[in-house]
Amino acid sequence: MTGDHSRDRDQAGRPRQARPRDALGRPLPYGAAGVEPVPEEALPAVETVAFAQELVQEGRPFAAHEVLEARWKAGPVEERGLWQGLAQVCVGLTHAARGNRTGAARLLERGAARVEEYESGHGPAYGLDLAAVVACAREHAAAER
């Protein structure tokens, strides 16, 4: 990390999230008390689902998005639609909580479409009811319009 905080990086030069954030992922000033950051490394699929659900229930959809994004980047290509779609739903929930209704509706619908497409291919759902996820995301999207 540089002294001026212009870019938080680890020793290998990869970006890291050293700046504190609030529960909706908004950056706070350095030194402020923020929420506990989530691991940047991908978790196994079942753990990813459980942790993301817990974070959403705690009112931290942005953190859930980060957990899901790590999985989509590290997971099998054939599961990418699942993880991307779930992450987009979480970003949509984040936008809704931040008051960005238009962005929320768009991302919730985009995420629902991705999850629905993935579900049609009958890939593993890791304990999720994907049809219910799609329906819930679309219901939230409609409420934001």
Side-chain angles (χ1 to χ4, degrees):
M1 186 166 80
T2 62
D4 67 0
H5 303 297
S6 60
R7 282 297 258 175
D8 299 320
R9 299 201 176 264
D10 65 13
Q11 290 180 343
R14 291 184 302 265
R16 292 294 180 219
Q17 50 174 312
R19 189 167 178 184
R21 300 203 173 252
D22 72 8
L24 294 176
R26 294 175 289 222
L28 298 170
Y30 285 97
V35 296
E36 184 72 27
V38 295
E40 294 185 17
E41 296 76 29
L43 300 171
V46 173
E47 289 178 43
T48 297
V49 168
F51 192 30
Q53 286 176 320
E54 180 182 317
L55 289 165
V56 168
Q57 289 169 352
E58 290 175 2
R60 296 184 60 197
F62 182 81
H65 147 264
E66 290 181 323
V67 169
L68 294 160
E69 182 178 55
R71 180 70 194 162
W72 116 41
K73 290 180 177 181
V77 173
E78 59 273 9
E79 293 180 10
R80 190 162 287 162
L82 171 65
W83 304 114
Q84 284 179 329
L86 294 172
Q88 286 174 323
V89 168
C90 289
V91 174
L93 295 173
T94 301
H95 280 290
R98 291 177 179 176
N100 177 2
R101 296 176 66 112
T102 301
R106 286 182 183 153
L107 280 160
L108 286 161
E109 184 54 48
R110 193 176 303 150
R114 234 183 247 282
V115 171
E116 187 173 53
E117 183 179 339
Y118 174 82
E119 181 187 31
S120 71
H122 307 290
Y126 301 105
L128 288 170
D129 179 343
L130 297 181
V133 170
V134 169
C136 184
R138 289 198 167 128
E139 193 174 299
H140 277 44
E144 295 298 326
R145 289 189 186 100

